[in-house]
Amino acid sequence: MENQQPRIFIVEDNLLYQQLIAKELETISDDIHFYTRGENCIENLDKNPSIIILDYNLEGEMNGLDTLQEIRKFDLSIYVILFSNQKDLNTSENKRQYGSFNFVEKKDQSFRLLKQMVNAGSQM
Amino acid sequence: MQEYRTDNKRLDDKKILVAEDTEMNQHLTKHILESSGAAVIIANNGQEALQLVNENFFDCILMDVQMPEMDGIQATQYIRQLADPVKASVPIIALTANVLTEDITKYKAAGMNDCLAKPFDESGLLFIILKHQVNNVGQKKQAQQKNEQPAYADEPLYDLSMIQSMSGNDAGFIKKMIRLFIDTVPQNVKELVTATHANNWEQVSKMAHKLKSTVDSMGIKSIRDDIRLVESNAKHNQNIQEIPAIVSKIESIIYHCIEQLKKEL
């Protein structure tokens, strides 16, 4: 079955981080699409990703929360993980305002945690 | 003044940076040096000089003291703080009309090796450059005797253990990361430096933030704290007068690191 692998979007402006994330997730999926701008992620939502990993600081005009808001207008069921070093983003206020998301703090050794989170998401 | 006489072409193979804002002085100095066989590069102010030093190795810098943007004193202070010991110890000679004892004390305190009074003539200029070339060669020889190679050359500025462990030592992946670093980071550093020169602190903070995660993933520990300090100070408009020197250190470490990383490919 070809469609077993979840389609994952990685929205991250740091190209090294894109590769590190994809490397960590390679046992889960190799159907991974990369974007450095929130705008490009939104334009490609018709590819129906099941998981989106979002950085907060992005190229382009939209930040991660703006992008989340647009994602949620399109589809409420996409599993979104905000992957950022700004812990203060993880508030219920932000979830009310921009839409639901999971949060993984970007720091040393946090890729394992991100992988667990993606794993959880891909089994939903 | 017999001892001031210098043979023609005595500066063969020497690469000399002339930091000087007056066009006429630029031409004059360049002409004298080139007639003696030196390769001459001109910087119009201290900031340009600093950038050129980051990108090149010079045998000597002739530094006008009063220049727009960044003066010769400041530029010298930054150069003396560069991570690369060869660059940080380049002979710097002040060119100035102010040669009172207190002025000279100030130049020396900033890290200048010597001072040449303006207006100067050909023999005076060549003499003072050669004087410091001799010393310089002596120092290099001493360093070599103590230690086969300069210490920095052996110690990598990076630590790939994070990438290695994440990838299960996947050599192809590690090379891919190194290539990405080499291909993308100079642009980021350039933007950081440009924003710093433009006093655009919001952009400085943004670029420092962007570089932070890259620097961390390549394990460049010597600037780990510096880059955080720049991000935070620029963001909060604190101690911004310290930022240019730290950015300059970051720039020099990263370029040096790139040279080292190229050997891993």
Side-chain angles (χ1 to χ4, degrees), chain B residues 216-231:
Chain B
D216 286 354
S217 39
M218 301 305 276
I220 311 174
K221 297 193 180 86
S222 56
I223 50 172
R224 191 181 186 280
D225 296 336
D226 294 306
I227 207 136
R228 284 168 168 75
L229 191 67
V230 169
E231 183 191 6

Side-chain angles (χ1 to χ4, degrees), chain A residues 14 17 19-20 23 57 59, chain B residues 166 170 176 209 213-214:
Chain A
N14 184 319
Y17 258 70
Q19 292 303 318
L20 285 170
K23 184 75 189 168
N57 290 296
E59 285 177 11
Chain B
M166 261 200 68
D170 177 338
K176 188 172 172 185
H209 179 88
S213 43
T214 310

Side-chain angles (χ1 to χ4, degrees), chain B residues 129-260:
Chain B
I129 293 173
L130 287 168
K131 177 176 153 193
H132 291 281
Q133 292 308 304
V134 175
N135 287 347
N136 204 27
V137 170
Q139 276 171 11
K140 273 183 192 161
K141 265 191 191 151
Q142 267 187 348
Q144 276 167 1
Q145 279 163 1
K146 269 189 201 160
N147 199 335
E148 280 294 287
Q149 278 183 316
Y152 74 96
D154 291 322
E155 288 168 30
L157 292 164
Y158 54 87
D159 174 3
L160 300 177
S161 57
M162 192 269 244
I163 294 174
Q164 283 161 346
S165 82
M166 261 200 68
S167 66
N169 264 324
D170 177 338
F173 179 77
I174 294 165
K175 283 192 177 170
K176 188 172 172 185
M177 294 296 285
I178 292 174
R179 258 184 228 109
L180 265 176
F181 183 87
I182 294 172
D183 290 347
T184 62
V185 167
Q187 181 60 33
N188 296 342
V189 172
K190 219 178 234 174
E191 285 175 43
L192 175 68
V193 171
T194 307
T196 305
H197 291 174
N199 295 345
N200 182 348
W201 305 121
E202 193 190 331
Q203 180 68 6
V204 167
S205 171
K206 226 172 139 179
M207 293 320 298
H209 179 88
K210 195 166 180 182
L211 272 172
K212 181 173 69 179
S213 43
T214 310
V215 160
D216 286 354
S217 39
M218 301 305 276
I220 311 174
K221 297 193 180 86
S222 56
I223 50 172
R224 191 181 186 280
D225 296 336
D226 294 306
I227 207 136
R228 284 168 168 75
L229 191 67
V230 169
E231 183 191 6
S232 147
N233 283 357
K235 191 173 173 183
H236 301 113
N237 242 309
Q238 280 169 352
N239 299 331
I240 39 176
Q241 72 281 3
E242 292 172 7
I243 292 178
I246 308 173
V247 165
S248 184
K249 177 186 171 192
I250 292 170
E251 183 187 19
S252 112
I253 296 255
I254 288 183
Y255 280 123
H256 196 88
C257 195
I258 286 176
E259 290 311 309
Q260 293 181 336

